[in-house]
Amino acid sequence: MNPQLKAKIMESLSAVLPITGIVLALSILLVPLDVGTVMMFIIGAVLLIFGMSMFQLGAEIAMSPLGEGIGVQLSKTL
């Protein structure tokens, strides 16, 4: 696996898992939900983590060289 993608997955996990854990705990303790609803929520959380990872990786790959190029050009003109 690409090390950059692995790092982005870990970032997304650290962002999504606490919220997911809180929602699951509340759904178990306060408002009991159907098993199907909980499974859809878990599948959605996994897809969210994967989607966020891919988006962050794409944004980094596309925007970092662009920003560096603009910075070089700006420093040359000043």
Side-chain angles (χ1 to χ4, degrees):
M1 178 183 290
N2 185 350
Q4 289 178 324
L5 179 60
K6 191 173 184 179
K8 295 301 176 188
I9 289 173
M10 295 307 292
E11 286 179 25
S12 297
L13 276 171
S14 67
V16 173
L17 281 183
I19 298 168
T20 303
I22 291 169
V23 170
L24 285 175
L26 289 175
S27 71
I28 291 170
L29 298 174
L30 295 179
V31 183
L33 297 175
D34 296 332
V35 174
T37 304
V38 174
M39 288 306 296
M40 285 192 306
F41 178 76
I42 291 171
I43 291 170
V46 169
L47 292 174
L48 175 66
I49 291 166
F50 182 71
M52 282 178 60
S53 303
M54 297 300 287
F55 175 78
Q56 289 175 350
L57 181 63
E60 183 178 315
I61 289 173
M63 296 305 219
S64 292
L66 180 67
E68 289 173 5
I70 289 172
V72 168
Q73 292 300 322
L74 283 174
S75 66
K76 286 181 182 178
T77 59
L78 297 176

